[in-house]
């Protein structure tokens, strides 16, 4: 057992950290408040190969795994630039296509995902069903050689930045008559696909949307995989990387908040010649938050290692635990930082309160803390299913 990164992973961490710090949280907030995207950072990360570290080399990627992509997510977040579309496009879409797409789909889409020139977003959540794919209302049916998609999706990230959306729908199994999940690559400019931007109380350059699919026609080769049988494994192929990279982003955000506030509390003097950080009422909450962030990082490393080793069931448990731990730790770290900074903590200048909405959302999405606890109770502790 080792907790050390390989020399190549260490180099990747250092290089991504340097890139993130050149842009910094000020850049991130400025873009978000102007209603713009982090186009320059994304493009540079793509040119340097960081967006495609988990994509096979034959399609222009780095040939690494989710471990490497988690490093990218964490270090950019630790520099104050938590990019949600890293989770959506390289982690979910690229993994699904690399593992379950047809060769034509891999050749067509993976090179652009690797160099950042293309983005594919992910649409599973629905207004009525949430993320429960057993109750999805979006349905795909055959119409000649094509597919027609109808339904609604909500909280879909980055549709305005992407060329395609990976839509999870349900199709009828001709042998049983039952509906089964399938994934479709739908161009974001397809006829019948419309969107409505959701106003969110989160400082982020990435937008959330409602999607409406009204007889959206796509060709047969829009179906991910060689057949409908690829749908369920393709769907689950994207969920573990999603959990792990979201957790990495949360851990990076926690690190950022603790670093920012620690610099302040180590030098801020109010009573006599002692820094406010020398008082246990300030130091202990910060130390506690730092411990929680580090524990989350360990679980993220374990989950990514299991996933890259092909141990999907174990990675599912560890990935859910990592997501839970990182979501709690990030929220704690940011809240503790704001408290220690006092009034300064609520200003844009100090760059911490701008993350309050994002870390609170991290306890809800992409899977809520309560659903993770249900999962652990059932699959780890052997308890009866509660829902």
């Amino acid at each position: 057992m080792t907790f050390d990164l390989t020399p190549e992973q260490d180099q990747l961490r250092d290089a991504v950290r340097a890139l993130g710090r050149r842009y910094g949280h000020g850049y991130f907030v400025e873009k978000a408040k102007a209603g713009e995207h982090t186009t320059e950072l994304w493009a540079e990360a793509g040119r340097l190969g960081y967006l495609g570290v988990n994509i096979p080399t034959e399609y222009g990627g780095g040939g690494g795994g989710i471990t490497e992509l988690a490093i990218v997510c964490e270090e950019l977040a630790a520099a104050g630039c938590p990019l949600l579309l890293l989770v959506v496009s390289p982690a979910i879409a690229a993994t699904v296509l690399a593992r379950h797409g047809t060769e034509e789909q891999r050749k067509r889409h993976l090179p652009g995902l690797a160099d950042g020139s293309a983005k594919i977003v992910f649409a599973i959540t629905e207004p009525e069903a949430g993320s429960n794919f057993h109750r999805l209302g979006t349905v795909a049916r055959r119409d000649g050689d094509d597919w027609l998609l109808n339904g609604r999706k909500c909280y879909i990230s980055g549709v305005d930045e992407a060329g395609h959306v990976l839509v999870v729908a349900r199709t009828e199994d001709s042998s049983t008559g039952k509906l089964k999940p399938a994934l479709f690559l739908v161009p974001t400019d397809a006829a019948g696909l419309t969107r409505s931007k959701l106003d969110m109380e989160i400082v982020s350059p990435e937008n959330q949307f409602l999607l409406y699919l009204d007889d959206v026609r796509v060709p047969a080769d829009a179906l991910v995989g060689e057949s409908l049988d690829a749908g369920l494994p393709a769907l689950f192929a994207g969920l573990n990387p999603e959990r792990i990279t979201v957790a990495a982003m949360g851990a990076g955000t926690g690190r950022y908040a603790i670093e920012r506030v620690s610099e302040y509390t180590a030098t801020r003097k109010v009573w006599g010649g002692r820094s406010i950080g020398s008082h246990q009422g300030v130091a202990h909450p910060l130390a506690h938050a730092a411990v929680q962030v580090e524990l989350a990082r360990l679980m993220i490393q374990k989950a990514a290692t299991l996933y890259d080793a092909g141990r999907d069931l174990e990675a599912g448990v560890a990935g859910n635990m990592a997501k839970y731990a990182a979501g709690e730790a990030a929220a704690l770290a940011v809240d503790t930082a704001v408290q220690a900074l006092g009034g300064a903590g609520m200003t844009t200048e100090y760059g911490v309160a701008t993350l309050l909405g994002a870390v609170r959302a991290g306890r809800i999405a992409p899977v809520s803390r309560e659903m993770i606890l249900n999962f652990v109770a059932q699959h780890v502790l052997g308890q009866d299913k509660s829902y």
Side-chain angles (χ1 to χ4, degrees), residues 42 84-95 113 118-122:
W42 185 272
L84 180 58
L85 286 191
L86 278 171
V87 174
V88 177
S89 195
I92 300 176
T95 300
L113 297 181
K119 296 173 185 173
I120 298 177
V121 295
F122 184 60

Side-chain angles (χ1 to χ4, degrees), residues 323-324 327-328 331 358-365 367-370:
K323 193 274 172 186
Y324 180 95
E328 299 298 300
V359 295
R360 188 61 187 83
R363 300 175 74 210
I364 301 169
V367 57
S368 71
R369 63 191 299 277
E370 290 77 18

Side-chain angles (χ1 to χ4, degrees), residues 251 254-259 261-262 282-298 328-330 332-334 336-337:
R255 284 175 50 204
Y256 165 83
I258 291 168
E259 180 180 341
V261 70
S262 295
V282 174
H284 283 189
L286 293 178
H288 174 63
V291 169
Q292 300 307 307
V293 169
E294 191 61 24
L295 290 173
R297 295 181 73 204
L298 288 173
E328 299 298 300
L332 175 66
V334 171
T336 303

Side-chain angles (χ1 to χ4, degrees), residues 82-137:
L83 300 185
L84 180 58
L85 286 191
L86 278 171
V87 174
V88 177
S89 195
I92 300 176
T95 300
V96 167
L97 292 175
R99 292 185 63 169
H100 296 283
T102 65
E103 181 60 19
E104 180 185 354
Q105 288 167 345
R106 290 192 289 267
K107 288 180 177 178
R108 186 190 313 167
H109 296 288
L110 289 181
L113 297 181
D115 66 19
S117 61
K119 296 173 185 173
I120 298 177
V121 295
F122 184 60
I124 181 172
T125 307
E126 296 185 358
E128 300 301 324
S131 296
N132 181 2
F133 72 86
H134 296 290
R135 294 187 57 199
L136 292 183

Side-chain angles (χ1 to χ4, degrees), residues 269-284:
K269 296 177 180 179
V270 179
W271 298 283
R274 301 173 64 189
S275 67
I276 62 171
S278 67
H279 297 278
Q280 293 176 354
V282 174
H284 283 189

Side-chain angles (χ1 to χ4, degrees), residues 42 84-85 87-90 92-94 113 118-124 155-168 183-186 188 193 206-207 209 211:
W42 185 272
L84 180 58
L85 286 191
V87 174
V88 177
S89 195
I92 300 176
L113 297 181
K119 296 173 185 173
I120 298 177
V121 295
F122 184 60
I124 181 172
Y155 304 117
I156 310 305
S157 307
V159 180
D160 56 334
E161 302 181 61
H164 288 80
V165 54
L166 191 59
V167 175
V168 183
L183 279 69
F184 295 88
L185 284 160
V186 180
T188 51
L193 177 65
E206 295 149 330
N207 297 316
F209 292 89
L211 291 187

